[in-house]
Amino acid sequence: MKRIFATLALIAAAGPALACETVTTGSLEVSRAWSRASIGTARPGVVYLTIRNSGTADDALISITTPAADMPMLHQTVMTDGIASMPHAMEVPVPAGGQVALEPGGYHAMLMDLTQVLKEGETFPVTLTFRDAGEVTIPVTVQNIGASAPTCTSPDE
Amino acid sequence: MRSATLLRGFAMAAAAVAFMLSVGWWQTRDRAQDTAGVLPLPIDRMSFTLMDQDGKTVEPQDWLGRPTMVFFGFTWCPDICPTTLSDISGWLETLGPQADQMNTVLISVDPERDTPEILGDYLSNFDPRITGLTGSLPQIKAAAKGFRATYRKVPAEEGDYTMDHTAGVFLFDADGRFANIIDYHEDPRYAVPKITRIIK
Ligand SMILES: [Cu+2]
């Protein structure tokens, strides 16, 4: 609930909301894909998105690729005794009938070796590979470097 | 024969335990940074010299007389550091001019990459009241020690690396006494009053 408020506040602050695309593969729906603008290409970039599974079988996101980075990988930020670490995630589970969010402070796609500067307002494609549902490509919206939630609206909000 | 073997087994086990204990003791002693659960020192008892994004030297004593908010991070961090900086920018915005009287400080745990120029470039995307500090490795270590903060370099692919680090935001009153910690991504409804309490 409080997250929804925060998101709404952000949308209000950011002016007109961008209509982010929603894509599907099998019973999976991927939406709200966003990233932060980069300063140059030396630092890693990041991608966040939401995956919803309307099916009756569990699935998992197992890899990502994008022309925007040579070495994209899945990470999970973990807090242990107040210390943040960012281990590699072998997969991101997408439970049957549930959803999973790649979001700040949790799972995220980390874009190592950017091939281009990520500029605010632009989009770049990311292809997700699921264990069972196969591949799907979604355009990712680049937001401000200080953004902490997607400015796009999705049908349920 | 049998008891001799047993005895020898016991002796070896005892030696192994003693060895592990001594290694454990050594690790605990050596990891001066590993002080999770211990409160930060008061600012007037901290000792380090760092440099801000404008190249100006900063010592903890410079903060005394104003409430202080400090967190550790690095600009190569794509996930939680921008989130924390954006949270802090939001809190400062909520507090408005009240927050002008505060020291709001990011200390880099990655001084090898975070030069003052790079910090300045990066921080220009956030609230201008946030000061970025960097310095030599020993000085960063001394700073972290004062806050009882920890950080660690973690090797990644192709000689690259990332940093594990304490993610909370430390709050001190104007006298430099430690007041509170704001946890990573804490709800602004709790975070902002914590800051208000050190301002008053
Ligand atoms: Cu990561």
Side-chain angles (χ1 to χ4, degrees), chain A residues 45-46 73-77 86-87 108-112, chain B residues 78-79 162:
Chain A
V46 75
M73 48 207 313
L74 296 170
H75 279 181
Q76 183 179 22
T77 294
M86 203 166 55
H108 55 277
M110 181 115 153
L111 308 182
M112 318 287 277
Chain B
D79 183 41
T162 185

Side-chain angles (χ1 to χ4, degrees), chain B residues 133-200:
Chain B
L133 299 183
T134 186
S136 68
L137 284 168
Q139 288 305 312
I140 296 292
K141 192 174 177 183
K145 199 175 169 187
F147 289 92
R148 312 303 192 203
T150 73
Y151 62 95
R152 190 170 68 95
K153 198 181 213 175
V154 183
E157 286 73 11
E158 293 170 13
D160 205 352
Y161 66 91
T162 185
M163 305 292 301
D164 290 357
H165 61 92
T166 298
V169 179
F170 298 97
L171 301 177
F172 298 84
D173 66 18
D175 295 327
R177 281 182 301 236
F178 171 68
N180 221 330
I181 289 183
I182 301 175
D183 289 328
Y184 167 72
H185 213 26
E186 189 165 324
D187 191 310
R189 283 178 302 179
Y190 304 114
V192 171
K194 284 183 180 177
I195 304 170
T196 312
R197 253 174 268 142
I198 59 164
I199 292 177
K200 287 189 174 149

